[in-house]
Amino acid sequence: MAYSVEERRRRRASGGMLPLLALSTVSEYYRLPWKPPVTAGLLAANTLVYLRPAFIHPVIPHINEVWFNPNLILKHKDLKRFFLSPFYHLDEPHLVYNMMSLLWKGIKLETSMGSSEFASMVFTLLGMSQGVTLLLAKSLHVFFDYQKAYYHEYVVGFSGVLFALKVVLNAQAEDYASVYGILVPTKYAAWAELILVQMFMPSASFLGHFGGILAGILYLKLKRSYSGLDPVSMVVRGVTRAVTWPLRLLSSLVRSRRRRRRLSGRGQSGIWRCQSCTYDSSGWQSVCEMCGSGRDRGNGWSVNQGQTHSSSSSDLPLDELRRRRVERYS
């Protein structure tokens, strides 16, 4: 949910819910064969911004500097408020509610569409949901002089993006979903949640949630009209490849070294031919399995390695060779 500054004054921090979020995240990721990295990164980013540990405290701005306020954004062209406000939350229930929703939606979407495309979509929906909300607030102010509730409202939270993700996730669904105990068609679940949330929590940002739904619908329409790879996805994929290039290079070197080791070991674990009796013995044997001649001084050759040095000893007499064969088989 996205809450206003008035709600922040009435709410008190509620501890004990972050361990629940951590437990749910670990449990979900543990059972997955592939761990969606972008969803994990978004969860970590929102949580770190809320906790503000000492190593990032001097870097990230305070919540009072990033409240989403249409009047201040347009008046001062404050892009910091525009892009950073979704990553800030009022208290633990606010953070945990949004992150649990992101955990479920993010895993399903990122698993189905891939990390680079999912990251591109989240970035696009964040900008679109914020932009639509800003446009709606300005329109209400200009055409209806309706400024107190929305144009001068201070809100934070990731829920605008979550509503947009919900629209994308449920766009093709034909079944029914339960929204706060009410069964509705899944493709309209976002609209039902918008109304119910506003009924039970009037202080939640209606315009922010409504802007998220419109952003999701607009994104789907643009996606269907454009069949190629969108520019944001291309940029995300390029950055991802550039960042992971050292790891991919190291991984290829390790695989190449292991492959060479396996190939070099096959000669010893193959077969070799005795020069005395021409019997093919196992590569693990140091003496001929037929006549007992040693493999030393290049006696024999490996089928896997090719011809080696010829034996320096002369061939055994025929009688001696027969005697050794009899002894070997007896």
Side-chain angles (χ1 to χ4, degrees), residues 209-275:
H209 298 167
F210 183 56
I213 293 177
L214 295 182
I217 296 173
L218 180 61
Y219 176 84
L220 289 174
K221 291 185 177 297
L222 292 175
K223 192 73 173 176
R224 289 165 185 157
S225 63
Y226 181 72
S227 58
L229 189 65
D230 61 278
V232 180
S233 294
M234 294 175 63
V235 171
V236 171
R237 289 188 179 184
V239 172
T240 302
R241 288 184 64 85
V243 171
T244 59
W245 177 80
L247 295 177
R248 288 185 284 111
L249 177 61
L250 180 61
S251 177
S252 64
L253 291 176
V254 171
R255 287 197 302 268
S256 177
R257 187 172 181 180
R258 289 177 178 175
R259 191 179 300 112
R260 286 197 301 269
R261 285 182 176 179
R262 288 196 299 268
L263 290 175
S264 63
R266 286 176 182 174
Q268 297 179 358
S269 60
I271 60 175
W272 60 279
R273 182 160 295 170
C274 178
Q275 292 291 338

Side-chain angles (χ1 to χ4, degrees), residues 1 3 7 10-11 97 179-182 192-206 209:
M1 303 297 114
Y3 288 103
E7 177 68 6
R10 293 196 299 267
R11 295 165 68 108
Y97 184 91
V179 180
Y180 296 102
I182 300 176
E193 186 174 353
L194 171 69
I195 297 172
L196 292 173
V197 165
Q198 209 60 36
M199 289 175 57
F200 295 123
M201 289 174 280
S203 58
S205 175
F206 173 81
H209 298 167

Side-chain angles (χ1 to χ4, degrees), residues 33-168:
W34 178 73
K35 323 298 181 186
V38 177
T39 301
L42 289 171
L43 291 169
N46 281 271
T47 305
L48 286 174
V49 168
Y50 174 77
L51 293 176
R52 300 181 68 88
F55 68 93
I56 65 169
H57 182 76
V59 180
I60 59 175
H62 192 269
I63 190 172
N64 292 330
E65 302 174 34
V66 299
W67 288 101
F68 183 87
N69 179 273
N71 177 49
L72 295 178
I73 292 174
L74 294 174
K75 183 178 180 180
H76 303 291
K77 298 179 174 59
D78 195 346
L79 295 180
K80 180 172 60 177
R81 294 179 182 273
F82 186 87
F83 287 108
L84 296 184
S85 56
F87 297 96
Y88 285 73
H89 294 83
L90 297 179
D91 51 25
E92 282 191 22
H94 187 202
L95 172 71
V96 172
Y97 184 91
N98 279 352
M99 292 304 100
M100 294 288 280
S101 178
L102 174 61
L103 176 65
W104 182 75
K105 296 181 178 71
I107 287 177
K108 295 194 70 173
L109 287 169
E110 188 174 358
T111 303
S112 63
M113 66 195 320
S115 295
S116 59
E117 189 175 353
F118 176 72
S120 166
M121 183 182 68
V122 171
F123 180 79
T124 303
L125 289 177
L126 187 149
M128 291 176 66
S129 62
Q130 297 287 86
V132 170
T133 303
L134 189 65
L135 181 62
L136 290 173
K138 183 64 176 178
S139 300
L140 289 172
H141 171 55
V142 172
F143 296 108
F144 302 100
D145 196 26
Y146 200 73
Q147 54 178 306
K148 182 178 180 181
Y150 299 122
Y151 194 65
H152 292 281
E153 185 181 46
Y154 291 80
V155 296
V156 290
F158 207 73
S159 54
V161 183
L162 293 174
F163 269 89
L165 291 176
K166 193 179 189 73
V167 172
V168 175

